[in-house]
Amino acid sequence: SNAYYIQDEIQINDFIFTIGTRLDDNEKYGEELSPNLSVVYKLTENQRLKLSYAEGFKAPSLQEGSSEYSVYSHGQYYGNDDLQSETSRSYELGYEVYGQDTLFKTAIFSTQLENMITGQYIGDVYPYGPSMAISGYKYINVAKANIKGFETEIEYNLNENHVLNVNYT
């Protein structure tokens, strides 16, 4: 598995454009190009409006994509030879204010996933003998999933050595 990434930032007057792409080259899951683009508009010297779009690709890890592997992590997880790569499309719109001692950021976002990789409960398993049952999971693909939400952050510099930060997603 190899990955190659290139990105550039271009400023034109009050606009900052960030353009990039990533090429994943995976022996088992093939090649996938994942572009990204963001635009920042400086409303004033201290305020910015941001808009971004990105595509993503995630090949299953060795333990996820092979039935020959299993791993214990709060339950016994088993690989799946039929697992497909996960892809996504993400959109975000944000607003930022920079003060002398304060920072405020807020954004709304949406991500659409295809073939999302997750664990599915398959029942109790006994990898350590008949008296030691633990929850068993198998990695699967969920055909489509959507993640939507908002996030906000407030940061205040109390003094030279201390910062108060509150955020919510």
Side-chain angles (χ1 to χ4, degrees):
S1 179
N2 294 299
Y4 308 95
Y5 188 80
I6 187 167
Q7 182 170 294
D8 194 17
E9 186 175 282
I10 303 162
Q11 183 165 350
I12 302 172
N13 298 323
D14 291 334
F15 290 92
I16 302 170
F17 299 91
T18 304
I19 302 166
T21 194
R22 175 183 167 125
L23 173 65
D24 284 277
D25 182 12
N26 187 290
E27 187 176 300
K28 184 175 179 182
Y29 298 100
E31 290 184 355
E32 185 77 24
L33 198 62
S34 303
N36 66 67
L37 170 67
S38 70
V39 179
V40 175
Y41 177 65
K42 295 180 189 177
L43 296 166
T44 68
E45 196 59 37
N46 298 338
Q47 297 180 68
R48 294 180 178 197
L49 191 60
K50 294 176 129 183
L51 180 63
S52 65
Y53 169 79
E55 294 181 12
F57 171 82
K58 178 187 171 204
S61 68
L62 185 59
Q63 68 190 32
E64 292 169 338
S66 175
S67 62
E68 295 179 23
Y69 288 87
S70 69
V71 64
Y72 179 80
S73 175
H74 305 289
Q76 190 73 29
Y77 283 78
Y78 296 94
N80 180 350
D81 292 327
D82 297 324
L83 217 50
Q84 297 178 19
S85 297
E86 178 180 294
T87 58
S88 63
R89 287 188 167 81
S90 298
Y91 308 86
E92 184 173 317
L93 175 64
Y95 172 74
E96 300 176 351
V97 179
Y98 299 88
Q100 184 170 342
D101 292 322
T102 59
L103 166 71
F104 172 76
K105 294 181 179 182
T106 189
I108 56 173
F109 59 87
S110 175
T111 300
Q112 292 127 17
L113 296 136
E114 290 186 16
N115 297 317
M116 182 178 79
I117 299 169
T118 189
Q120 180 181 44
Y121 179 69
I122 58 172
D124 288 341
V125 295
Y126 303 88
Y128 308 110
S131 64
M132 297 186 65
I134 59 174
S135 297
Y137 300 89
K138 181 178 181 179
Y139 288 106
I140 63 161
N141 288 114
V142 173
K144 294 191 182 289
N146 292 311
I147 301 169
K148 296 178 182 179
F150 75 95
E151 56 191 2
T152 188
E153 175 182 5
I154 300 170
E155 186 174 288
Y156 180 70
N157 294 323
L158 298 169
N159 58 41
E160 190 175 299
N161 298 316
H162 296 87
V163 175
L164 176 65
N165 181 290
V166 177
N167 57 63
Y168 178 79
T169 301

PDB file of all heavy atoms in Angstrom, residues 29-57:
ATOM      1  N   TYR A  29      -6.845  -3.508  -3.055  1.00  0.00           N
ATOM      2  CA  TYR A  29      -8.062  -2.717  -3.279  1.00  0.00           C
ATOM      3  C   TYR A  29      -7.960  -1.706  -4.423  1.00  0.00           C
ATOM      4  O   TYR A  29      -8.902  -0.969  -4.678  1.00  0.00           O
ATOM      5  CB  TYR A  29      -8.460  -2.013  -1.981  1.00  0.00           C
ATOM      6  CG  TYR A  29      -8.777  -3.009  -0.886  1.00  0.00           C
ATOM      7  CD1 TYR A  29      -7.844  -3.320   0.093  1.00  0.00           C
ATOM      8  CD2 TYR A  29      -9.996  -3.668  -0.862  1.00  0.00           C
ATOM      9  CE1 TYR A  29      -8.131  -4.253   1.088  1.00  0.00           C
ATOM     10  CE2 TYR A  29     -10.293  -4.596   0.122  1.00  0.00           C
ATOM     11  CZ  TYR A  29      -9.345  -4.893   1.087  1.00  0.00           C
ATOM     12  OH  TYR A  29      -9.626  -5.815   2.062  1.00  0.00           O
ATOM     13  N   GLY A  30      -6.821  -1.657  -5.103  1.00  0.00           N
ATOM     14  CA  GLY A  30      -6.690  -0.808  -6.281  1.00  0.00           C
ATOM     15  C   GLY A  30      -6.259   0.616  -5.982  1.00  0.00           C
ATOM     16  O   GLY A  30      -5.816   0.943  -4.879  1.00  0.00           O
ATOM     17  N   GLU A  31      -6.407   1.475  -7.000  1.00  0.00           N
ATOM     18  CA  GLU A  31      -6.031   2.879  -6.892  1.00  0.00           C
ATOM     19  C   GLU A  31      -7.281   3.737  -6.694  1.00  0.00           C
ATOM     20  O   GLU A  31      -8.329   3.459  -7.263  1.00  0.00           O
ATOM     21  CB  GLU A  31      -5.321   3.349  -8.161  1.00  0.00           C
ATOM     22  CG  GLU A  31      -3.949   2.774  -8.347  1.00  0.00           C
ATOM     23  CD  GLU A  31      -3.250   3.340  -9.572  1.00  0.00           C
ATOM     24  OE1 GLU A  31      -3.874   4.110 -10.335  1.00  0.00           O
ATOM     25  OE2 GLU A  31      -2.073   3.004  -9.767  1.00  0.00           O
ATOM     26  N   GLU A  32      -7.125   4.794  -5.919  1.00  0.00           N
ATOM     27  CA  GLU A  32      -8.239   5.719  -5.688  1.00  0.00           C
ATOM     28  C   GLU A  32      -7.668   7.125  -5.541  1.00  0.00           C
ATOM     29  O   GLU A  32      -6.716   7.349  -4.797  1.00  0.00           O
ATOM     30  CB  GLU A  32      -9.007   5.330  -4.429  1.00  0.00           C
ATOM     31  CG  GLU A  32     -10.233   6.158  -4.170  1.00  0.00           C
ATOM     32  CD  GLU A  32     -11.414   5.785  -5.051  1.00  0.00           C
ATOM     33  OE1 GLU A  32     -11.482   4.648  -5.533  1.00  0.00           O
ATOM     34  OE2 GLU A  32     -12.288   6.655  -5.243  1.00  0.00           O
ATOM     35  N   LEU A  33      -8.258   8.074  -6.265  1.00  0.00           N
ATOM     36  CA  LEU A  33      -7.874   9.476  -6.194  1.00  0.00           C
ATOM     37  C   LEU A  33      -8.881  10.207  -5.315  1.00  0.00           C
ATOM     38  O   LEU A  33     -10.090  10.066  -5.512  1.00  0.00           O
ATOM     39  CB  LEU A  33      -7.875  10.071  -7.605  1.00  0.00           C
ATOM     40  CG  LEU A  33      -7.130  11.370  -7.817  1.00  0.00           C
ATOM     41  CD1 LEU A  33      -5.653  11.200  -7.523  1.00  0.00           C
ATOM     42  CD2 LEU A  33      -7.317  11.829  -9.257  1.00  0.00           C
ATOM     43  N   SER A  34      -8.396  10.971  -4.334  1.00  0.00           N
ATOM     44  CA  SER A  34      -9.266  11.675  -3.383  1.00  0.00           C
ATOM     45  C   SER A  34      -8.942  13.168  -3.390  1.00  0.00           C
ATOM     46  O   SER A  34      -8.052  13.630  -2.673  1.00  0.00           O
ATOM     47  CB  SER A  34      -9.075  11.112  -1.969  1.00  0.00           C
ATOM     48  OG  SER A  34      -9.325   9.734  -1.939  1.00  0.00           O
ATOM     49  N   PRO A  35      -9.665  13.959  -4.186  1.00  0.00           N
ATOM     50  CA  PRO A  35      -9.394  15.397  -4.247  1.00  0.00           C
ATOM     51  C   PRO A  35      -9.991  16.156  -3.067  1.00  0.00           C
ATOM     52  O   PRO A  35     -10.916  15.677  -2.402  1.00  0.00           O
ATOM     53  CB  PRO A  35     -10.081  15.823  -5.552  1.00  0.00           C
ATOM     54  CG  PRO A  35     -11.202  14.846  -5.714  1.00  0.00           C
ATOM     55  CD  PRO A  35     -10.702  13.551  -5.128  1.00  0.00           C
ATOM     56  N   ASN A  36      -9.436  17.345  -2.810  1.00  0.00           N
ATOM     57  CA  ASN A  36     -10.017  18.250  -1.817  1.00  0.00           C
ATOM     58  C   ASN A  36      -9.828  19.682  -2.284  1.00  0.00           C
ATOM     59  O   ASN A  36      -8.880  20.001  -2.992  1.00  0.00           O
ATOM     60  CB  ASN A  36      -9.410  18.019  -0.420  1.00  0.00           C
ATOM     61  CG  ASN A  36      -7.950  18.376  -0.352  1.00  0.00           C
ATOM     62  OD1 ASN A  36      -7.583  19.531  -0.466  1.00  0.00           O
ATOM     63  ND2 ASN A  36      -7.093  17.373  -0.185  1.00  0.00           N
ATOM     64  N   LEU A  37     -10.781  20.518  -1.872  1.00  0.00           N
ATOM     65  CA  LEU A  37     -10.763  21.926  -2.247  1.00  0.00           C
ATOM     66  C   LEU A  37     -11.386  22.726  -1.115  1.00  0.00           C
ATOM     67  O   LEU A  37     -12.439  22.348  -0.600  1.00  0.00           O
ATOM     68  CB  LEU A  37     -11.568  22.148  -3.540  1.00  0.00           C
ATOM     69  CG  LEU A  37     -11.849  23.596  -3.946  1.00  0.00           C
ATOM     70  CD1 LEU A  37     -10.560  24.303  -4.331  1.00  0.00           C
ATOM     71  CD2 LEU A  37     -12.843  23.638  -5.092  1.00  0.00           C
ATOM     72  N   SER A  38     -10.731  23.808  -0.732  1.00  0.00           N
ATOM     73  CA  SER A  38     -11.343  24.698   0.250  1.00  0.00           C
ATOM     74  C   SER A  38     -11.097  26.139  -0.174  1.00  0.00           C
ATOM     75  O   SER A  38     -10.104  26.463  -0.823  1.00  0.00           O
ATOM     76  CB  SER A  38     -10.803  24.450   1.662  1.00  0.00           C
ATOM     77  OG  SER A  38      -9.469  24.872   1.768  1.00  0.00           O
ATOM     78  N   VAL A  39     -12.058  26.981   0.205  1.00  0.00           N
ATOM     79  CA  VAL A  39     -11.984  28.407  -0.071  1.00  0.00           C
ATOM     80  C   VAL A  39     -12.218  29.144   1.233  1.00  0.00           C
ATOM     81  O   VAL A  39     -13.188  28.872   1.947  1.00  0.00           O
ATOM     82  CB  VAL A  39     -13.047  28.843  -1.104  1.00  0.00           C
ATOM     83  CG1 VAL A  39     -12.968  30.339  -1.358  1.00  0.00           C
ATOM     84  CG2 VAL A  39     -12.914  28.061  -2.394  1.00  0.00           C
ATOM     85  N   VAL A  40     -11.326  30.065   1.548  1.00  0.00           N
ATOM     86  CA  VAL A  40     -11.475  30.926   2.715  1.00  0.00           C
ATOM     87  C   VAL A  40     -11.636  32.353   2.201  1.00  0.00           C
ATOM     88  O   VAL A  40     -10.845  32.810   1.367  1.00  0.00           O
ATOM     89  CB  VAL A  40     -10.244  30.840   3.654  1.00  0.00           C
ATOM     90  CG1 VAL A  40     -10.368  31.834   4.799  1.00  0.00           C
ATOM     91  CG2 VAL A  40     -10.059  29.425   4.159  1.00  0.00           C
ATOM     92  N   TYR A  41     -12.662  33.037   2.697  1.00  0.00           N
ATOM     93  CA  TYR A  41     -12.872  34.440   2.341  1.00  0.00           C
ATOM     94  C   TYR A  41     -12.690  35.279   3.593  1.00  0.00           C
ATOM     95  O   TYR A  41     -13.347  35.039   4.603  1.00  0.00           O
ATOM     96  CB  TYR A  41     -14.270  34.656   1.754  1.00  0.00           C
ATOM     97  CG  TYR A  41     -14.559  36.103   1.440  1.00  0.00           C
ATOM     98  CD1 TYR A  41     -13.837  36.774   0.459  1.00  0.00           C
ATOM     99  CD2 TYR A  41     -15.527  36.797   2.132  1.00  0.00           C
ATOM    100  CE1 TYR A  41     -14.086  38.100   0.172  1.00  0.00           C
ATOM    101  CE2 TYR A  41     -15.793  38.137   1.854  1.00  0.00           C
ATOM    102  CZ  TYR A  41     -15.066  38.779   0.873  1.00  0.00           C
ATOM    103  OH  TYR A  41     -15.314  40.092   0.604  1.00  0.00           O
ATOM    104  N   LYS A  42     -11.788  36.246   3.518  1.00  0.00           N
ATOM    105  CA  LYS A  42     -11.545  37.143   4.648  1.00  0.00           C
ATOM    106  C   LYS A  42     -12.598  38.253   4.620  1.00  0.00           C
ATOM    107  O   LYS A  42     -12.525  39.176   3.812  1.00  0.00           O
ATOM    108  CB  LYS A  42     -10.150  37.763   4.561  1.00  0.00           C
ATOM    109  CG  LYS A  42      -9.028  36.768   4.685  1.00  0.00           C
ATOM    110  CD  LYS A  42      -7.699  37.521   4.591  1.00  0.00           C
ATOM    111  CE  LYS A  42      -6.533  36.595   4.489  1.00  0.00           C
ATOM    112  NZ  LYS A  42      -5.268  37.332   4.334  1.00  0.00           N
ATOM    113  N   LEU A  43     -13.596  38.126   5.496  1.00  0.00           N
ATOM    114  CA  LEU A  43     -14.646  39.149   5.582  1.00  0.00           C
ATOM    115  C   LEU A  43     -14.056  40.468   6.070  1.00  0.00           C
ATOM    116  O   LEU A  43     -14.346  41.534   5.529  1.00  0.00           O
ATOM    117  CB  LEU A  43     -15.747  38.693   6.533  1.00  0.00           C
ATOM    118  CG  LEU A  43     -16.521  37.445   6.096  1.00  0.00           C
ATOM    119  CD1 LEU A  43     -17.341  36.892   7.238  1.00  0.00           C
ATOM    120  CD2 LEU A  43     -17.391  37.772   4.901  1.00  0.00           C
ATOM    121  N   THR A  44     -13.245  40.369   7.128  1.00  0.00           N
ATOM    122  CA  THR A  44     -12.477  41.486   7.660  1.00  0.00           C
ATOM    123  C   THR A  44     -11.122  40.918   8.059  1.00  0.00           C
ATOM    124  O   THR A  44     -10.862  39.730   7.868  1.00  0.00           O
ATOM    125  CB  THR A  44     -13.155  42.120   8.901  1.00  0.00           C
ATOM    126  OG1 THR A  44     -13.109  41.179   9.983  1.00  0.00           O
ATOM    127  CG2 THR A  44     -14.585  42.525   8.620  1.00  0.00           C
ATOM    128  N   GLU A  45     -10.288  41.724   8.653  1.00  0.00           N
ATOM    129  CA  GLU A  45      -8.974  41.234   9.102  1.00  0.00           C
ATOM    130  C   GLU A  45      -9.114  40.147  10.165  1.00  0.00           C
ATOM    131  O   GLU A  45      -8.254  39.281  10.283  1.00  0.00           O
ATOM    132  CB  GLU A  45      -8.140  42.407   9.644  1.00  0.00           C
ATOM    133  CG  GLU A  45      -6.678  42.098   9.780  1.00  0.00           C
ATOM    134  CD  GLU A  45      -5.997  41.689   8.457  1.00  0.00           C
ATOM    135  OE1 GLU A  45      -6.334  42.254   7.399  1.00  0.00           O
ATOM    136  OE2 GLU A  45      -5.138  40.789   8.497  1.00  0.00           O
ATOM    137  N   ASN A  46     -10.227  40.158  10.935  1.00  0.00           N
ATOM    138  CA  ASN A  46     -10.403  39.210  12.042  1.00  0.00           C
ATOM    139  C   ASN A  46     -11.500  38.178  11.816  1.00  0.00           C
ATOM    140  O   ASN A  46     -11.758  37.365  12.694  1.00  0.00           O
ATOM    141  CB  ASN A  46     -10.722  39.969  13.336  1.00  0.00           C
ATOM    142  CG  ASN A  46      -9.595  40.883  13.746  1.00  0.00           C
ATOM    143  OD1 ASN A  46      -8.460  40.690  13.349  1.00  0.00           O
ATOM    144  ND2 ASN A  46      -9.914  41.894  14.530  1.00  0.00           N
ATOM    145  N   GLN A  47     -12.167  38.207  10.675  1.00  0.00           N
ATOM    146  CA  GLN A  47     -13.269  37.287  10.429  1.00  0.00           C
ATOM    147  C   GLN A  47     -13.071  36.554   9.102  1.00  0.00           C
ATOM    148  O   GLN A  47     -12.664  37.171   8.116  1.00  0.00           O
ATOM    149  CB  GLN A  47     -14.605  38.035  10.362  1.00  0.00           C
ATOM    150  CG  GLN A  47     -14.992  38.733  11.634  1.00  0.00           C
ATOM    151  CD  GLN A  47     -16.318  39.432  11.450  1.00  0.00           C
ATOM    152  OE1 GLN A  47     -17.343  38.774  11.305  1.00  0.00           O
ATOM    153  NE2 GLN A  47     -16.297  40.754  11.424  1.00  0.00           N
ATOM    154  N   ARG A  48     -13.389  35.256   9.128  1.00  0.00           N
ATOM    155  CA  ARG A  48     -13.235  34.448   7.923  1.00  0.00           C
ATOM    156  C   ARG A  48     -14.443  33.543   7.719  1.00  0.00           C
ATOM    157  O   ARG A  48     -15.020  33.040   8.671  1.00  0.00           O
ATOM    158  CB  ARG A  48     -11.990  33.572   8.024  1.00  0.00           C
ATOM    159  CG  ARG A  48     -10.719  34.375   8.036  1.00  0.00           C
ATOM    160  CD  ARG A  48      -9.521  33.500   8.132  1.00  0.00           C
ATOM    161  NE  ARG A  48      -8.317  34.325   8.096  1.00  0.00           N
ATOM    162  CZ  ARG A  48      -7.125  33.874   7.844  1.00  0.00           C
ATOM    163  NH1 ARG A  48      -6.943  32.597   7.614  1.00  0.00           N
ATOM    164  NH2 ARG A  48      -6.106  34.682   7.821  1.00  0.00           N
ATOM    165  N   LEU A  49     -14.759  33.325   6.475  1.00  0.00           N
ATOM    166  CA  LEU A  49     -15.803  32.391   6.071  1.00  0.00           C
ATOM    167  C   LEU A  49     -15.109  31.280   5.283  1.00  0.00           C
ATOM    168  O   LEU A  49     -14.287  31.565   4.407  1.00  0.00           O
ATOM    169  CB  LEU A  49     -16.833  33.118   5.198  1.00  0.00           C
ATOM    170  CG  LEU A  49     -18.123  32.406   4.875  1.00  0.00           C
ATOM    171  CD1 LEU A  49     -18.888  32.054   6.147  1.00  0.00           C
ATOM    172  CD2 LEU A  49     -18.980  33.283   3.970  1.00  0.00           C
ATOM    173  N   LYS A  50     -15.420  30.013   5.607  1.00  0.00           N
ATOM    174  CA  LYS A  50     -14.739  28.884   4.975  1.00  0.00           C
ATOM    175  C   LYS A  50     -15.750  27.940   4.332  1.00  0.00           C
ATOM    176  O   LYS A  50     -16.810  27.696   4.892  1.00  0.00           O
ATOM    177  CB  LYS A  50     -13.955  28.075   6.012  1.00  0.00           C
ATOM    178  CG  LYS A  50     -12.815  28.801   6.642  1.00  0.00           C
ATOM    179  CD  LYS A  50     -12.183  27.931   7.723  1.00  0.00           C
ATOM    180  CE  LYS A  50     -10.705  27.856   7.508  1.00  0.00           C
ATOM    181  NZ  LYS A  50     -10.038  26.984   8.464  1.00  0.00           N
ATOM    182  N   LEU A  51     -15.375  27.393   3.199  1.00  0.00           N
ATOM    183  CA  LEU A  51     -16.179  26.397   2.506  1.00  0.00           C
ATOM    184  C   LEU A  51     -15.213  25.328   2.010  1.00  0.00           C
ATOM    185  O   LEU A  51     -14.182  25.650   1.408  1.00  0.00           O
ATOM    186  CB  LEU A  51     -16.923  27.040   1.328  1.00  0.00           C
ATOM    187  CG  LEU A  51     -17.809  26.142   0.487  1.00  0.00           C
ATOM    188  CD1 LEU A  51     -18.962  25.572   1.321  1.00  0.00           C
ATOM    189  CD2 LEU A  51     -18.342  26.911  -0.713  1.00  0.00           C
ATOM    190  N   SER A  52     -15.536  24.056   2.261  1.00  0.00           N
ATOM    191  CA  SER A  52     -14.626  23.006   1.815  1.00  0.00           C
ATOM    192  C   SER A  52     -15.387  21.776   1.324  1.00  0.00           C
ATOM    193  O   SER A  52     -16.510  21.516   1.741  1.00  0.00           O
ATOM    194  CB  SER A  52     -13.654  22.615   2.922  1.00  0.00           C
ATOM    195  OG  SER A  52     -14.325  22.037   4.003  1.00  0.00           O
ATOM    196  N   TYR A  53     -14.693  21.056   0.450  1.00  0.00           N
ATOM    197  CA  TYR A  53     -15.185  19.795  -0.096  1.00  0.00           C
ATOM    198  C   TYR A  53     -13.996  18.830  -0.148  1.00  0.00           C
ATOM    199  O   TYR A  53     -12.890  19.217  -0.533  1.00  0.00           O
ATOM    200  CB  TYR A  53     -15.747  19.989  -1.508  1.00  0.00           C
ATOM    201  CG  TYR A  53     -16.035  18.684  -2.211  1.00  0.00           C
ATOM    202  CD1 TYR A  53     -17.189  17.978  -1.920  1.00  0.00           C
ATOM    203  CD2 TYR A  53     -15.147  18.153  -3.138  1.00  0.00           C
ATOM    204  CE1 TYR A  53     -17.464  16.761  -2.549  1.00  0.00           C
ATOM    205  CE2 TYR A  53     -15.413  16.948  -3.771  1.00  0.00           C
ATOM    206  CZ  TYR A  53     -16.561  16.255  -3.473  1.00  0.00           C
ATOM    207  OH  TYR A  53     -16.820  15.061  -4.079  1.00  0.00           O
ATOM    208  N   ALA A  54     -14.237  17.591   0.242  1.00  0.00           N
ATOM    209  CA  ALA A  54     -13.170  16.591   0.184  1.00  0.00           C
ATOM    210  C   ALA A  54     -13.757  15.215  -0.062  1.00  0.00           C
ATOM    211  O   ALA A  54     -14.866  14.914   0.369  1.00  0.00           O
ATOM    212  CB  ALA A  54     -12.374  16.590   1.486  1.00  0.00           C
ATOM    213  N   GLU A  55     -12.994  14.403  -0.754  1.00  0.00           N
ATOM    214  CA  GLU A  55     -13.336  13.007  -0.934  1.00  0.00           C
ATOM    215  C   GLU A  55     -12.318  12.177  -0.171  1.00  0.00           C
ATOM    216  O   GLU A  55     -11.168  12.598  -0.008  1.00  0.00           O
ATOM    217  CB  GLU A  55     -13.332  12.628  -2.417  1.00  0.00           C
ATOM    218  CG  GLU A  55     -14.425  13.327  -3.199  1.00  0.00           C
ATOM    219  CD  GLU A  55     -14.455  12.947  -4.665  1.00  0.00           C
ATOM    220  OE1 GLU A  55     -13.775  11.978  -5.056  1.00  0.00           O
ATOM    221  OE2 GLU A  55     -15.158  13.640  -5.422  1.00  0.00           O
ATOM    222  N   GLY A  56     -12.748  11.022   0.321  1.00  0.00           N
ATOM    223  CA  GLY A  56     -11.853  10.180   1.098  1.00  0.00           C
ATOM    224  C   GLY A  56     -11.919   8.729   0.663  1.00  0.00           C
ATOM    225  O   GLY A  56     -12.901   8.277   0.056  1.00  0.00           O
ATOM    226  N   PHE A  57     -10.867   8.002   0.977  1.00  0.00           N
ATOM    227  CA  PHE A  57     -10.750   6.584   0.652  1.00  0.00           C
ATOM    228  C   PHE A  57     -10.056   5.894   1.815  1.00  0.00           C
ATOM    229  O   PHE A  57      -9.053   6.392   2.327  1.00  0.00           O
ATOM    230  CB  PHE A  57      -9.918   6.415  -0.627  1.00  0.00           C
ATOM    231  CG  PHE A  57      -9.546   4.993  -0.938  1.00  0.00           C
ATOM    232  CD1 PHE A  57     -10.442   4.153  -1.574  1.00  0.00           C
ATOM    233  CD2 PHE A  57      -8.292   4.498  -0.612  1.00  0.00           C
ATOM    234  CE1 PHE A  57     -10.090   2.838  -1.877  1.00  0.00           C
ATOM    235  CE2 PHE A  57      -7.932   3.187  -0.913  1.00  0.00           C
ATOM    236  CZ  PHE A  57      -8.830   2.357  -1.546  1.00  0.00           C
TER     237      PHE A  57
END
